[in-house]
């Protein structure tokens, strides 16, 4: 069973970040960001444009963290946000895109209307230390979330973020997955009714593979070819790699999802490697998914996609009560 990709060339129309970063406004709400902002001429074809733009060094973890703090404060009213050293610092525009496309997906099962408010509950698999998906989903659509992770330290940091922002206290709950072999087992109960699951799975199959990818990323940003750059992207093992890599993680997710056909309306995951789609569609056919959606997302030169599936028929989807 296959689904036709919905091709997108830009950020979602409702994404607050589709016009880029207004550093003057961001510095106004978070003055500490100013130390990381500089003016940089940019390339137009083979020549350097006379125009210039403000930017930061995206290979500098402190600069990216300051940018995230400013964005979360200005656009999502998050007054206090931080992550520990060496944990992933997520790109907020891309994370926001996932949330907006989820809203469209829910609308497709709700007579074209985006369901909003606390009656909509999502399950964030691998919330990490940053809590970005629940933060954005709650700020924009008022949704509630359960966030899970196998890393207790990551969840402890999420607790600090929630405690520091009182509006999140009733909106986000956290649960430790005590058995890393499983994704939904020990988490979803017979009484649960999640409108969706959301997941940014580990991309790599080994720490070595993850390190090589980070080196390429740093070299591209810094325009260098060193074999030993400072790896500023962060990320604990569970955030970056797992046995079997992305396809191994998603395979486990698909097989487990079939055990909870009535508890979740839409199961979703990011898929970074297009080559994995054929195997994913085949697996979804094996577990008798009733419908599959694939949405391509683009941010700059990077393309990824969301794969979503449900075990609810069209009539059952329309009967789902948010």
């Amino acid at each position: 069973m296959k689904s036709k990709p919905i091709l997108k060339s830009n950020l979602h129309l409702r994404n607050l970040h589709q016009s880029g970063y207004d550093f003057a406004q961001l510095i106004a709400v978070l003055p500490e960001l100013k130390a990381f902002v500089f003016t940089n001429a940019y390339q137009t074809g083979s020549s350097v444009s006379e125009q210039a733009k403000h930017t930061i060094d995206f290979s500098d973890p402190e600069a990216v963290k300051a940018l995230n703090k400013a964005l979360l404060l200005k656009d999502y009213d998050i007054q206090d946000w931080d992550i520990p050293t060496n944990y992933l610092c997520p790109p907020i525009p891309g994370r926001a895109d996932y949330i907006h496309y989820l809203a469209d997906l829910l609308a497709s099962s709700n007579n074209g209307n985006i369901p909003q408010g606390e009656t909509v509950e999502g399950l964030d698999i691998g919330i990490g230390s940053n809590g970005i998906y629940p933060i954005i989903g709650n700020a924009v659509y008022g949704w509630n979330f359960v966030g899970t992770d196998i890393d207790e330290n990551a969840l402890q940091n999420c607790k600090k973020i929630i405690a520091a922002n009182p509006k999140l206290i009733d909106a986000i709950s956290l649960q430790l997955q005590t058995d890393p072999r499983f994704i939904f087992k020990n988490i979803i109960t017979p009484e649960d009714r999640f409108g969706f699951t959301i997941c940014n799975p580990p991309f790599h199959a080994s720490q070595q593979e993850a390190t090589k990818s980070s080196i390429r990323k740093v070299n591209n940003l810094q325009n260098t070819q060193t074999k030993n750059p400072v790896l500023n992207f962060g990320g604990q093992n569970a955030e970056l790699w797992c046995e079997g890599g992305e396809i191994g993680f998603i395979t486990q997710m698909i097989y487990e999802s079939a055990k909870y056909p009535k508890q979740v309306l839409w199961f979703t995951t990011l898929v970074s490697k297009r080559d994995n789609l054929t195997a994913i569609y085949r697996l979804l056919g094996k577990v008798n998914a009733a419908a599959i959606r694939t949405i391509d997302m683009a941010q700059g030169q990077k393309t990824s996609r969301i794969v979503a599936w449900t075990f609810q028929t069209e009539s059952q989807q329309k009967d789902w009560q948010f």
Side-chain angles (χ1 to χ4, degrees):
M1 185 184 300
K2 294 185 179 181
S3 67
K4 186 176 180 180
I6 304 170
L7 300 176
K8 302 292 179 183
S9 57
N10 304 305
L11 290 174
H12 193 283
L13 290 176
R14 293 194 301 275
N15 195 319
L16 296 175
H17 315 292
Q18 62 174 310
S19 298
Y21 304 123
D22 186 328
F23 281 99
Q25 291 185 13
L26 292 171
I27 290 170
V29 299
L30 190 77
E32 68 187 70
L33 176 62
K34 185 176 182 179
F36 301 103
V37 177
F38 60 93
T39 301
N40 183 34
Y42 62 89
Q43 300 287 334
T44 304
S46 59
S47 61
V48 177
S49 170
E50 292 182 358
Q51 289 182 298
K53 64 176 182 177
H54 291 99
T55 188
I56 64 168
D57 179 357
F58 284 92
S59 68
D60 180 348
E62 294 304 316
V64 175
K65 186 187 293 188
L67 174 61
N68 277 8
K69 286 182 178 180
L71 288 170
L72 290 170
L73 178 57
K74 172 180 171 291
D75 295 323
Y76 303 104
D77 192 31
I78 297 300
Q79 302 297 315
D80 193 352
W81 179 91
D82 202 356
I83 57 173
T85 302
N86 295 326
Y87 277 79
L88 279 177
C89 195
I92 290 176
R95 299 300 195 262
D97 245 29
Y98 194 163
I99 291 293
H100 290 302
Y101 282 118
L102 268 179
D104 292 342
L105 184 66
L106 296 182
S108 72
S109 301
N110 192 46
N111 298 314
N113 300 312
I114 296 173
Q116 301 191 39
E118 61 185 20
T119 58
V120 182
E121 188 167 34
L123 177 60
D124 183 359
I125 299 299
I127 189 173
S129 66
N130 54 75
I132 288 296
Y133 288 130
I135 285 172
I136 297 175
N138 178 258
V140 179
Y141 297 111
W143 298 339
N144 282 0
F145 285 80
V146 174
T148 75
D149 210 289
I150 64 173
D151 184 340
E152 191 165 6
N153 290 331
L155 292 180
Q156 288 299 323
N157 194 72
C158 275
K159 286 182 180 179
K160 292 179 182 178
I161 294 172
I162 293 168
N165 296 275
K167 70 173 188 173
L168 300 178
I169 292 174
D170 293 329
I172 304 172
S173 60
L174 303 172
Q175 189 169 345
L176 179 68
Q177 171 56 273
T178 57
D179 192 334
R181 296 175 299 170
F182 300 113
I183 296 171
F184 300 124
K185 185 178 179 181
N186 306 323
I187 301 297
I188 298 180
T189 70
E191 295 76 27
D192 283 327
R193 282 175 59 84
F194 292 107
F196 60 88
T197 68
I198 188 169
C199 183
N200 185 9
F203 293 157
H204 305 293
S206 68
Q207 186 172 17
Q208 182 181 20
E209 182 182 323
T211 300
K212 286 182 179 179
S213 175
S214 295
I215 289 173
R216 286 195 301 270
K217 195 179 296 184
V218 172
N219 283 336
N220 287 338
L221 284 173
Q222 297 181 343
N223 195 27
T224 63
Q225 292 301 319
T226 177
K227 294 182 180 180
N228 297 293
V230 177
L231 301 183
N232 291 322
F233 296 97
Q236 301 298 300
N237 289 354
E239 294 179 299
L240 296 176
W241 64 272
C242 66
E243 186 176 350
E246 178 179 78
I247 189 60
F249 191 94
I250 295 175
T251 296
Q252 178 70 18
M253 184 185 298
I254 290 171
Y255 280 128
E256 281 192 49
S257 71
K259 299 178 180 179
Y260 306 94
K262 304 300 183 183
Q263 280 80 39
V264 178
L265 178 56
W266 285 100
F267 294 90
T268 80
T269 183
L270 279 181
V271 179
S272 67
K273 300 176 181 178
R274 183 174 292 276
D275 291 346
N276 287 335
L277 290 177
T278 299
I280 289 170
Y281 296 147
R282 184 171 60 249
L283 287 166
L284 289 170
K286 285 185 177 180
V287 298
N288 297 316
I292 305 169
R293 305 279 179 84
T294 306
I295 304 169
D296 276 13
M297 303 187 299
Q299 183 182 356
Q301 300 299 314
K302 182 179 179 181
T303 300
S304 60
R305 70 251 352 124
I306 301 166
V307 173
W309 65 97
T310 182
F311 297 97
Q312 308 283 312
T313 64
E314 285 191 20
S315 62
Q316 288 172 328
Q317 291 176 39
K318 291 179 181 179
D319 290 338
W320 186 278
Q321 298 295 316
F322 287 106

